[in-house]
């Protein structure tokens, strides 16, 4: 029985570590986009390296958690739900890494007038993701309180939708000096950033449904 | 020893089936949800069931003894066998059944057959407990559920730790449940043998095992074997029959079941209640399955009662009446058979000394084990049946009652069978109708697909045929043009007198003739023609074996509805030759003069 206690203790620590890794990754994504917009190349590349490392750690932890859940038959009735949730959390850091890679590879030209808009979009999108992590932690401890914690996620997701729409409107309505190809290119970058909040919203939906299942 | 084992076999079988079926009530959800491994559950269940039977089995057994103390080994064997047969038969018919109710019915059957008096007070106590058991289970479950919910709300457990504690809880409470099951239900298995089988006491250190305890240990082992050998299958197949349960709710259900079983078998608890002026607890074997159902309904009612399948309640009530009645009838007739065919002593009317003997105190502890098994001693004296003197029921009365019960049983059986058959018939008809509908639909779909395929094939054929006709027309046109050019050259040649020029024109005409003879288009057309009409040509060869290749080719061209002139162009022969070939073909195909050759070939 003590082995089982030890295993459970380890698993709890691993889940917590996984969540904090993903959270860090999302914050570094925000820094990275800021550095790109501010043309701080050196720190931007530093951010890419960091997010790469964190994503690898998160993947490793995810695999470990999955394996241990099945190996020690922990929460056998809900193991697949937990696994799905962990997978949804991991998707957030995956999207963050992919987006920052897009900045590095495609080097989008962002006009000065749009820099602030992009910064605000990154803020809102990352806020949505940052708000979902405490809900995940609470889900493991007090599922009943999860629903109340998700309001912030939905709010910031809507906010990032709005900001992204504004950027697109500005691009296609007010900025005649840009070529169509540039407009399309910049629109995709708004979409990349916005995807993080979309993923956070999906996770929030999952949490709110499953919190009911985990109640007595 | 072998005789003893033979007579005990019916009780051991009853024990085996109890272990096989009732262990699922304790560990079913835990094993089914993979929270506890079956091996773990079987080990814990087996150990605790034996412990419960040996330590605390006497209380419920005393009550059964009061109902009827089966005095001979043959009678005990028959009574246990009747109960086992009833349980087996009813389980096969998928009717709700309980070992406790079956054994009580079988003992009453024995009482009736041997003219022993049935203690109505004890019977009332037992029947009341059957009803109050599930109700108590429901009350306990509801209260424990509320308590668990409150605790879980207050204590901030991590989900993984919560899982671990539930797992631990399922093991500990499972052990308690198995102990209580052994304590309460061992009387069903071995109770009837306690009067007729006597072993010398065994002393192991400070512990003394009485004859009854040794019998209960044997019965406990039979239950354990049932758990180990067969309960896994039951645990895996029994799903959420009443309503879906979470692990926490399952824990509550098992705990309330264990508590009820414990309460109805604990002499110490009963004594404690009496000592503070409360009425004693009736120590009666109760059905663990029915307590589980009561517990689940308790939780269901607390949750609003929407998920409960109330039909099961009706089935339980039916089981309360049907099981003892059927077991009683079976026991009565089996005793008649054993007594009259095998000439075995079945313990006719006993003169008891129990009126003077006060019921001795029964204790839970091992040290008081002997006391536990000391039922009112009876002097067994076989007498001639004399119902008018020794029974409160007159013989005629009793026979009438049995007849009524038998009739009721038979009517019940036939009604049930008819209901089952009707249900089965309806189900079959519905199944058949569904099958026919599905078959019709699939046939229609197949037909549509076939028609579609046919249309596609027709289209393809038409396309190919058009292609061939086009090809043929091209050849014809080409032949005509080249023929015209040849005619023109011939006309020019006639007008020119220059020898060299005429020679040159002759060369051109020669070239044209050669080219017409070796026309590649024609060759490829003929190849296509044969390829696409291979079936037709094959049919022709089979019907008219003497046909030449040229005739078959002509027939194929006629099938394409080409005129003689067109055919002549394709085959690079004169129209007259075509007409001649047509005539020969007609003769070979033996076509009557009135019938058209082309139409005949097209129909072929």
């Amino acid at each position: 029985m003590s082995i089982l206690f030890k295993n459970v203790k380890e698993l709890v620590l691993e889940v917590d570590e996984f969540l904090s890794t993903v959270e860090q990754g999302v914050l570094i994504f925000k820094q990275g986009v800021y550095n790109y917009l501010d043309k701080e190349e050196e720190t931007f590349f530093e951010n890419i390296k960091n997010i790469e490392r964190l994503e690898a750690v998160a993947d490793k932890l995810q695999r470990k958690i999955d394996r241990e859940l099945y190996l020690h038959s922990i929460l056998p009735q809900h193991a697949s739900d937990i696994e799905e949730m962990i997978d949804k959390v991991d998707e957030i850091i995956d999207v963050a890494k992919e987006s920052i890679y897009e900045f590095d590879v495609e080097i989008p030209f962002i006009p000065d007038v749009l820099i602030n808009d992009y910064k605000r979009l990154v803020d809102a999108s990352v806020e949505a993701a940052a708000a979902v992590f405490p809900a995940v932690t609470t889900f493991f401890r007090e599922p009943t309180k999860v629903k109340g914690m998700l309001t912030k996620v939905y709010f910031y997701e809507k906010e990032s939708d709005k900001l992204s729409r504004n950027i697109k409107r500005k691009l296609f309505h007010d900025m005649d000096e840009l070529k169509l190809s540039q407009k399309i290119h910049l629109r995709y970058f708004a979409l990349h950033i916005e995807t993080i909040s979309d993923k956070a919203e999906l996770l929030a939906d999952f949490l709110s449904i499953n919190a009911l299942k985990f109640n007595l | 020893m072998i005789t003893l084992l033979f007579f005990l076999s019916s009780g051991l079988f009853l024990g085996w089936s109890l272990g096989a079926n009732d262990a699922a009530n304790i560990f079913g959800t835990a094993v089914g949800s993979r929270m506890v491994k079956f091996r773990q559950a079987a080990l814990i269940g087996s150990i605790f069931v034996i412990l419960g039977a040996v330590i605390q089995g006497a209380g419920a057994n005393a009550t059964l003894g009061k109902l009827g103390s089966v005095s001979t080994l043959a009678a005990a064997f028959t009574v246990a066998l009747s109960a086992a047969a009833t349980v087996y038969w009813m389980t096969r018919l998928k009717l709700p059944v309980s070992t406790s109710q079956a054994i009580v019915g079988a003992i009453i059957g024995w009482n009736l057959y041997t003219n022993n008096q049935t203690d109505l007070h004890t019977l009332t106590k037992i029947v009341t407990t059957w009803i109050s058991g599930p109700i108590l289970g429901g009350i306990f479950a509801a209260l424990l559920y509320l308590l668990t919910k409150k605790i879980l709300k207050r204590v901030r457990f991590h989900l993984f730790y919560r899982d671990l504690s539930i797992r631990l809880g399922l093991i500990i409470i499972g052990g308690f449940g198995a102990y209580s099951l052994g304590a309460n239900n061992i009387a069903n298995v071995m109770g009837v043998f306690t009067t007729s089988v006597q072993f010398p006491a065994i002393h192991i250190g400070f512990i003394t095992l009485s004859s009854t305890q040794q019998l209960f240990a044997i019965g406990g082992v039979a239950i354990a074997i049932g758990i180990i050998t067969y309960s896994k299958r039951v645990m895996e197949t029994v799903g959420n029959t009443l309503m879906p349960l979470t692990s926490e709710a399952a824990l509550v259900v098992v705990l309330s079941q264990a508590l009820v079983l414990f309460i109805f078998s604990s002499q110490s608890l009963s004594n404690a209640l009496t000592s503070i002026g409360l009425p004693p607890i009736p120590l009666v074997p109760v059905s663990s399955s029915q307590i589980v159902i009561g517990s689940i309904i308790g939780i269901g009612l607390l949750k609003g009662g929407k998920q409960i399948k109330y039909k099961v309640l009706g089935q339980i009530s039916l089981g309360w009446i049907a099981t003892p009645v059927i077991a009683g009838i079976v026991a009565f007739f089996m005793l008649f058979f054993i007594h009259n065919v095998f000439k075995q002593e079945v313990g006719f009317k006993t003169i008891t000394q129990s009126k003077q003997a006060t019921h001795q105190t029964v204790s839970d502890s091992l040290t008081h084990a002997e006391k536990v098994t000391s039922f009112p001693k009876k002097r067994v004296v076989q007498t001639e049946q004399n119902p008018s003197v020794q029974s409160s029921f007159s013989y005629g009365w009793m026979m009438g009652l049995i007849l009524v019960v038998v009739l009721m049983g038979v009517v019940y059986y036939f009604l049930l069978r008819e209901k089952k058959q009707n249900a089965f018939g309806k189900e079959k008809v519905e199944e058949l109708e569904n099958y026919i509908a599905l078959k019709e639909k699939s046939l229609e779909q197949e037909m549509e697909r076939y028609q579609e395929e046919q249309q596609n094939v027709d289209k393809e054929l038409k396309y190919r045929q058009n292609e061939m006709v086009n090809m043929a027309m091209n050849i014809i046109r080409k032949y005509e043009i080249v023929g015209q050019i040849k005619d023109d050259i011939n006309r020019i040649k006639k007008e020119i007198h220059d020898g060299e020029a005429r020679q040159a024109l002759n060369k051109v005409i020669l070239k044209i003739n050669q080219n017409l003879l070796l026309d590649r288009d024609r060759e490829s057309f003929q190849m296509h023609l044969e390829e696409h009409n291979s079936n037709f040509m094959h049919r022709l060869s089979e019907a008219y074996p003497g046909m030449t290749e040229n005739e078959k080719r002509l027939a194929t061209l006629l099938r394409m509805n080409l005129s003689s002139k067109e055919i002549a162009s394709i085959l690079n022969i004169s129209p007259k030759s075509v007409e001649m070939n047509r005539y020969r073909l007609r003769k070979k195909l033996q076509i009557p003069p009135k019938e058209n050759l082309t139409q005949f070939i097209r129909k072929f």
Side-chain angles (χ1 to χ4, degrees), chain B residues 218-277:
Chain B
I218 296 169
V221 170
I223 300 175
I225 292 171
I227 297 175
I228 295 162
T229 55
Y230 205 79
S231 67
K232 191 177 182 184
R233 227 177 286 182
V234 181
M235 285 179 195
E236 280 166 358
T237 47
V238 171
N240 295 316
T241 39
L242 267 181
M243 61 175 256
L245 285 180
T246 58
S247 312
E248 292 85 348
L251 192 79
V252 165
V253 168
V254 177
L255 183 59
S256 45
Q257 178 206 183
L259 281 173
V260 175
L261 286 172
F262 186 82
I263 286 169
F264 284 127
S265 58
S266 173
Q267 185 66 55
S268 308
L269 197 69
S270 179
N271 289 345
L273 284 179
T274 337
S275 67
I276 55 166

Side-chain angles (χ1 to χ4, degrees), chain A residues 44-181:
Chain A
F44 173 68
F45 289 122
E46 194 86 357
N47 292 144
I48 289 178
K49 269 184 201 164
N50 274 337
I51 208 166
E52 248 176 12
R53 184 181 51 82
L54 287 169
E55 201 263 343
V57 172
D59 278 351
K60 205 172 156 189
L61 280 167
Q62 188 195 1
R63 278 195 291 273
K64 213 171 167 189
I65 292 165
D66 287 353
R67 194 171 57 87
E68 276 175 22
L69 272 176
Y70 281 102
L71 197 69
H72 307 300
S73 179
I74 295 165
L75 271 175
Q77 284 173 306
H78 304 294
S80 61
D81 294 325
I82 302 283
E83 212 176 278
E84 198 181 337
M85 185 179 68
I86 297 286
D87 199 43
K88 283 189 188 298
V89 176
D90 188 59
E91 268 177 32
I92 297 177
I93 196 168
D94 284 347
V95 168
K97 192 190 82 172
E98 285 304 316
S99 302
I100 206 123
Y101 271 152
E102 305 289 358
F103 277 98
D104 179 36
V105 175
E106 296 180 19
I107 318 166
F109 163 71
I110 296 172
D112 288 344
V113 280
L114 285 179
I115 284 178
N116 262 339
D117 293 305
Y118 272 96
K119 277 185 178 173
R120 281 175 63 199
L121 176 62
V122 174
D123 280 346
S125 195
V126 167
E127 278 298 327
V132 85
F133 298 122
V136 177
T137 316
T138 311
F139 177 82
F140 281 108
R141 287 172 175 86
E142 286 174 285
T144 38
K145 289 190 178 166
V146 166
K147 212 155 189 181
M149 299 180 76
L150 299 172
T151 329
K152 251 183 164 184
V153 183
Y154 293 122
F155 170 78
Y156 282 115
E157 197 279 330
K158 277 202 184 80
E159 198 61 22
S160 58
D161 269 359
K162 211 162 52 182
L163 291 166
S164 167
R165 219 169 25 245
N166 284 346
I167 290 176
K168 288 173 203 165
R169 191 168 287 120
K170 267 190 189 173
L171 278 170
F172 290 95
H173 290 263
D174 310 331
M175 304 186 76
D176 295 333
E177 68 277 13
L178 292 177
K179 287 182 200 165
L180 182 65
S181 59

Side-chain angles (χ1 to χ4, degrees), chain B residues 536-552 585 588-590 604:
Chain B
F536 171 72
M537 285 171 109
H538 185 69
R539 282 205 303 275
L540 273 180
S541 305
E542 276 193 344
Y544 306 97
M547 274 180 89
T548 63
E549 282 303 308
N550 282 337
E551 283 165 347
K552 279 190 246 175
L585 188 66
K588 203 160 251 176
L589 299 178
Q590 296 164 347
F604 187 78

Side-chain angles (χ1 to χ4, degrees), chain A residues 1 4-5 8-9 11-12 15 69 72-77 82 139-142 214-216, chain B residues 33-35 145 148-149 152 156-164 167-168 171 246-249:
Chain A
M1 201 48 74
L4 201 62
F5 259 113
V8 169
K9 197 178 169 187
L11 190 63
V12 170
V15 170
L69 272 176
H72 307 300
S73 179
I74 295 165
L75 271 175
Q77 284 173 306
I82 302 283
F139 177 82
F140 281 108
R141 287 172 175 86
E142 286 174 285
F214 280 77
N215 279 325
L216 185 69
Chain B
S33 61
R34 288 177 286 131
M35 296 282 274
Y145 185 79
T148 319
K149 215 173 166 183
L152 285 173
R156 288 180 61 192
F157 260 154
H158 192 284
L159 269 183
F160 296 154
Y161 282 120
R162 192 164 119 179
D163 172 72
L164 191 65
R167 196 175 292 216
L168 271 174
I171 292 171
T246 58
S247 312
E248 292 85 348

Side-chain angles (χ1 to χ4, degrees), chain B residues 24-36:
Chain B
N25 295 333
I26 299 162
F27 285 110
T29 317
V31 173
S33 61
R34 288 177 286 131
M35 296 282 274
V36 178

